[in-house]
Amino acid sequence: GQQLNQSPQSMFIQEGEDVSMNCTSSSIFNTWLWYKQDPGEGPVLLIALYKAGELTSNGRLTAQFGTTRKDSFLNISASIPSDVGIYFCAGYDLSGNTPLVFGKGTRLSVIA
Amino acid sequence: DSGVTQTPKHLITATGQRVTLRCSPRSGDLSVYWYQQSLDQGLQFLIQYYNGEERAKGNILERFSAQQFPDLHSELNLSSLELGDSALYFCASSVESAGEAFFGQGTRLTVV
């Protein structure tokens, strides 16, 4: 099945810094989704991407659908303490016949 | 609030027992997904239903089964429970079989 490689696994940053994380797949995806999960809670959808090259923002978050269709990036600008959590990428492959597959997550810690 | 409702929120049961987890999708969503998340692990896909029919199956144990009812709510049945089945179980729903998926708050299952 599809593999999603998400990096980095974890990050420790200072408040106010920008953050970048990425996800690569072994196959071509036609949809990329980015989620944030707080401890003990369900993942919350942050951004959805549907076209290669698409760049979409949600407040301080910006995500891009890679032009190869095999990768996606999430950037967080000017991090704040409430950005702490686990960020997951997820996606559907080109056929659309496979389930939503998730990366293993990037654990973000923000030091005030 | 994602609009996806899962009950119960917490469940403690003994090994060998059987439990049923319930999920009500967002209004209008036809697709329901079930995921398992063990401590500090990623989201493992179990099974997907679309409009009452099984759509995709992941590494779901034979002791586990699910169904989606005509009113589109779904139930995940876990039987002959083992200690290793202790995890968070999430339900997600989307309008189509491949699209933006929204997660419930999860059911935390503890097997003792």
Side-chain angles (χ1 to χ4, degrees), chain A residues 35 37 41-42 50 92 100 107, chain B residues 33 35 37 99-101 105:
Chain A
Y35 291 85
Q37 185 179 26
E41 302 290 325
Y50 295 102
Y92 298 97
L100 185 59
R107 185 181 295 273
Chain B
Y33 311 77
Y35 288 85
Q37 187 177 43
E100 297 177 18
Q105 290 294 300

Side-chain angles (χ1 to χ4, degrees), chain A residues 46-47 56-62 75-77:
Chain A
L46 300 173
I47 292 178
T56 298
S57 293
N58 178 4
R60 294 177 295 105
L61 276 61
T62 302
N75 296 313
I76 305 173
S77 63

Side-chain angles (χ1 to χ4, degrees), chain A residues 30-31 33 35 37 39-45 48 50 86 88 92 96-105 107, chain B residues 9 33 35 37 40-43 45 48 55-57 88 90 94 96-106 108:
Chain A
N30 65 355
T31 301
L33 306 174
Y35 291 85
Q37 185 179 26
E41 302 290 325
V44 175
L45 181 63
Y50 295 102
I86 303 177
F88 290 99
Y92 298 97
N97 292 324
T98 54
L100 185 59
V101 61
F102 279 79
K104 295 192 175 183
R107 185 181 295 273
Chain B
K9 195 168 172 61
Y33 311 77
Y35 288 85
Q37 187 177 43
D40 288 336
Q41 296 294 311
L43 291 150
F45 171 71
Q48 178 194 5
R55 176 85 166 148
K57 210 167 187 175
L88 274 166
F90 288 106
S94 62
E96 299 295 333
S97 61
E100 297 177 18
F102 295 86
F103 280 76
Q105 290 294 300
R108 181 176 293 281

Side-chain angles (χ1 to χ4, degrees), chain A residues 2 5 13 23 27 38 52 66 76-77 81-82 89 102 112:
Chain A
Q2 297 87 1
N5 296 310
I13 61 168
C23 213
S27 56
D38 292 326
I76 305 173
S77 63
S82 62
C89 61
F102 279 79

Side-chain angles (χ1 to χ4, degrees), chain A residues 64-101:
Chain A
Q64 183 163 24
F65 193 142
T67 54
T68 66
R69 291 177 164 265
K70 290 186 175 183
D71 56 4
S72 181
F73 307 87
L74 176 69
N75 296 313
I76 305 173
S77 63
S79 58
I80 59 178
S82 62
D83 291 333
V84 166
I86 303 177
Y87 292 80
F88 290 99
C89 61
Y92 298 97
D93 77 358
L94 196 59
S95 71
N97 292 324
T98 54
L100 185 59
V101 61

